[in-house]
């Protein structure tokens, strides 16, 4: 068993790969600049006030866009949107050129046919190492009953069945 002082980058990555996560695209806009980035580091914070957090690498193009505008949207991808997950991880020059979207009340682009979309206003921004944790107050959400796209062990995958019990 490895202790804290001896954790290598490879050990960290191989442990993190054990987390199964839903795949999201975090969208943002600042003036003429509209961006989207694939992200699994998205987490519920609290129901009161309704809030969630996203964790964004400081080198991502999305980082200054979210920080300056103070808003972002989380688009939870549905199981048939794997191509969008790859697209928004690839830093394409004009990321929304061929994408179906609508503009939400925060101004952020919302991806059509996503499993869910949640728009947020940034209420807290905390730097930690290479990343920034943005906590957002949820101002709108739109939820469907589609099935989500998942990521596990470095691969996109789908739910095989429903859990028998839930909390
Ligand atoms: C499955 C998957 C999950 C990812 N999760 C995150 C994440 O949570 N935070 C992050 O900063 N980057 C994450 N990335 C990397 C970004 O999607 C990638 O760096 C992207 O090109 C950033 O786009 P941008 O520079 O246009 O903002 C993830 C990539 C993949 C494929």
């Amino acid at each position: 068993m490895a202790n804290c002082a001896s954790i290598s980058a490879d050990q960290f990555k191989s442990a993190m790969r054990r987390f199964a996560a839903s795949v999201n695209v975090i969208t943002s806009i600042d003036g003429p600049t509209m961006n989207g980035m694939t992200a699994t580091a998205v987490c519920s914070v609290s129901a009161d006030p309704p809030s969630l957090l996203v964790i964004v690498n400081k080198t991502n193009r999305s980082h200054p866009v979210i920080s300056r505008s103070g808003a972002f949207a989380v688009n939870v991808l549905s199981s048939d949107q794997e191509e969008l997950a790859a697209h928004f991880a690839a830093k394409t020059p004009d990321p929304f050129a061929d994408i179906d979207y609508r503009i939400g009340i925060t101004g952020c682009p919302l991806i059509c046919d996503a499993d869910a979309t949640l728009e947020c206003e940034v209420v807290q921004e905390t730097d930690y190492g290479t990343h920034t944790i943005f906590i957002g107050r949820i101002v709108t959400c739109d939820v469907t009953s589609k099935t989500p796209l998942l990521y596990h062990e470095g691969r996109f995958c789908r739910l095989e069945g429903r859990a028998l019990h839930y909390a």
Side-chain angles (χ1 to χ4, degrees), residues 35-41 55-57 60-62 88-91 131 151 156:
N35 209 34
M37 55 163 271
T38 300
T40 49
I55 305 179
V56 180
N57 194 306
N60 286 0
R61 296 178 302 182
S62 302
F88 283 107
K91 297 191 195 294
H131 283 65
Y151 193 70
F156 295 113

Coordinates of all heavy atoms in Angstrom, one line a residue, residues 35-41 55-57 60-62 88-91 131 151 156, ligand 1:
N35 N -17.3 29.1 -25.4 CA -16.5 27.9 -25.3 C -17.2 26.7 -24.6 O -18.2 26.9 -24.0 CB -15.2 28.2 -24.5 CG -14.0 27.3 -25.0 OD1 -14.0 26.9 -26.1 ND2 -13.2 26.9 -24.1
G36 N -16.6 25.5 -24.8 CA -17.2 24.4 -24.1 C -16.0 23.4 -23.9 O -15.1 23.3 -24.7
M37 N -16.1 22.8 -22.7 CA -15.0 21.8 -22.4 C -15.6 20.6 -21.7 O -16.5 20.7 -20.8 CB -13.9 22.4 -21.4 CG -14.5 23.0 -20.2 SD -13.2 23.2 -18.9 CE -13.2 21.6 -18.1
T38 N -15.2 19.4 -22.1 CA -15.6 18.1 -21.5 C -15.1 18.1 -20.1 O -13.9 18.4 -19.9 CB -15.1 17.0 -22.4 OG1 -15.7 17.1 -23.7 CG2 -15.5 15.6 -21.8
A39 N -15.9 17.6 -19.2 CA -15.5 17.6 -17.8 C -16.2 16.5 -17.0 O -17.4 16.3 -17.1 CB -15.7 18.9 -17.1
T40 N -15.5 15.8 -16.2 CA -16.1 14.8 -15.3 C -16.0 15.4 -13.8 O -16.7 14.9 -12.9 CB -15.3 13.5 -15.3 OG1 -13.9 13.7 -15.2 CG2 -15.7 12.7 -16.6
A41 N -15.2 16.4 -13.6 CA -15.0 16.9 -12.2 C -16.1 17.9 -12.0 O -16.0 19.2 -12.0 CB -13.6 17.6 -12.1
I55 N -14.5 21.8 -11.6 CA -13.0 22.0 -11.4 C -12.3 22.1 -12.8 O -12.5 21.2 -13.6 CB -12.4 20.8 -10.6 CG1 -13.2 20.6 -9.3 CG2 -10.9 21.1 -10.3 CD1 -12.7 19.5 -8.4
V56 N -11.7 23.2 -13.0 CA -11.2 23.6 -14.3 C -9.7 23.9 -14.3 O -9.2 24.7 -13.5 CB -11.9 24.8 -14.9 CG1 -11.4 25.2 -16.3 CG2 -13.4 24.6 -14.9
N57 N -9.0 23.2 -15.2 CA -7.5 23.4 -15.3 C -7.3 24.9 -15.7 O -7.9 25.4 -16.6 CB -7.0 22.5 -16.4 CG -5.5 22.4 -16.3 OD1 -4.8 23.4 -16.4 ND2 -4.9 21.2 -16.2
N60 N -6.9 25.7 -19.4 CA -8.0 25.5 -20.4 C -8.4 26.9 -20.9 O -8.5 27.9 -20.1 CB -9.2 24.8 -19.7 CG -8.9 23.3 -19.5 OD1 -7.8 22.8 -19.9 ND2 -9.8 22.6 -18.9
R61 N -8.9 26.9 -22.1 CA -9.4 28.2 -22.7 C -10.6 28.6 -21.9 O -10.9 29.8 -21.8 CB -9.7 28.0 -24.2 CG -8.6 27.6 -25.0 CD -9.0 27.4 -26.5 NE -9.9 26.3 -26.6 CZ -10.4 25.9 -27.8 NH1 -10.0 26.5 -28.9 NH2 -11.3 24.9 -27.8
S62 N -11.4 27.6 -21.4 CA -12.6 28.0 -20.7 C -12.3 28.7 -19.4 O -13.2 29.5 -18.9 CB -13.3 26.7 -20.3 OG -13.6 25.9 -21.4
F88 N -15.5 18.3 -27.5 CA -15.2 19.4 -26.6 C -14.0 19.1 -25.7 O -13.7 19.9 -24.8 CB -16.5 19.7 -25.7 CG -17.5 20.5 -26.5 CD1 -18.7 19.9 -26.9 CD2 -17.3 21.8 -26.8 CE1 -19.6 20.6 -27.6 CE2 -18.2 22.6 -27.5 CZ -19.4 22.0 -27.9
A89 N -13.3 18.0 -26.0 CA -12.0 17.8 -25.3 C -10.9 18.1 -26.3 O -9.7 17.9 -25.9 CB -11.9 16.3 -24.9
A90 N -11.2 18.5 -27.5 CA -10.2 18.6 -28.5 C -9.7 20.0 -28.9 O -8.9 20.2 -29.8 CB -10.7 17.9 -29.8
K91 N -10.1 21.0 -28.2 CA -9.7 22.4 -28.4 C -9.8 22.8 -29.9 O -8.9 23.3 -30.5 CB -8.3 22.6 -27.9 CG -8.1 22.5 -26.4 CD -6.7 23.0 -26.0 CE -6.4 22.5 -24.6 NZ -7.2 23.0 -23.5
H131 N -5.5 23.7 -10.8 CA -6.9 23.9 -11.1 C -7.6 25.0 -10.3 O -7.0 25.4 -9.3 CB -7.6 22.5 -10.8 CG -7.4 21.5 -11.9 ND1 -6.1 21.0 -12.2 CD2 -8.2 21.0 -12.8 CE1 -6.2 20.1 -13.2 NE2 -7.4 20.1 -13.6
Y151 N -18.0 7.7 -18.0 CA -16.6 7.6 -18.2 C -16.0 6.7 -17.1 O -16.2 7.0 -15.9 CB -15.9 9.0 -18.3 CG -14.5 9.0 -18.8 CD1 -14.3 8.8 -20.2 CD2 -13.5 9.3 -18.0 CE1 -13.0 8.9 -20.7 CE2 -12.2 9.4 -18.5 CZ -12.0 9.2 -19.8 OH -10.7 9.2 -20.4
F156 N -15.3 5.8 -22.6 CA -16.8 6.2 -22.5 C -17.6 4.9 -22.4 O -17.2 3.9 -23.1 CB -17.2 7.0 -23.7 CG -16.5 8.4 -23.8 CD1 -15.6 8.6 -24.8 CD2 -16.7 9.3 -22.8 CE1 -14.9 9.9 -24.8 CE2 -16.0 10.5 -22.8 CZ -15.2 10.8 -23.9
Ligands
LIG1 C1 -13.6 12.4 -20.1 C2 -12.9 13.7 -19.9 C3 -13.0 14.4 -18.7 C4 -12.4 15.6 -18.5 N1 -12.6 16.3 -17.3 C5 -12.0 17.5 -17.1 C6 -12.3 18.2 -15.9 O1 -13.1 17.8 -15.1 N2 -11.6 19.4 -15.7 C7 -10.7 19.9 -16.7 O2 -10.2 21.0 -16.4 N3 -10.5 19.2 -17.8 C8 -11.1 18.1 -18.1 N4 -10.9 17.4 -19.2 C9 -10.0 18.0 -20.2 C10 -10.7 19.1 -21.1 O3 -11.9 18.6 -21.6 C11 -9.7 19.5 -22.2 O4 -8.5 19.9 -21.7 C12 -10.4 20.5 -23.1 O5 -9.6 20.6 -24.3 C13 -10.4 21.9 -22.5 O6 -11.0 22.8 -23.4 P1 -10.8 24.3 -23.5 O7 -9.3 24.5 -23.5 O8 -11.4 24.7 -24.8 O9 -11.4 24.9 -22.3 C14 -11.5 16.2 -19.5 C15 -11.3 15.5 -20.7 C16 -12.0 14.2 -20.9 C17 -11.8 13.5 -22.2

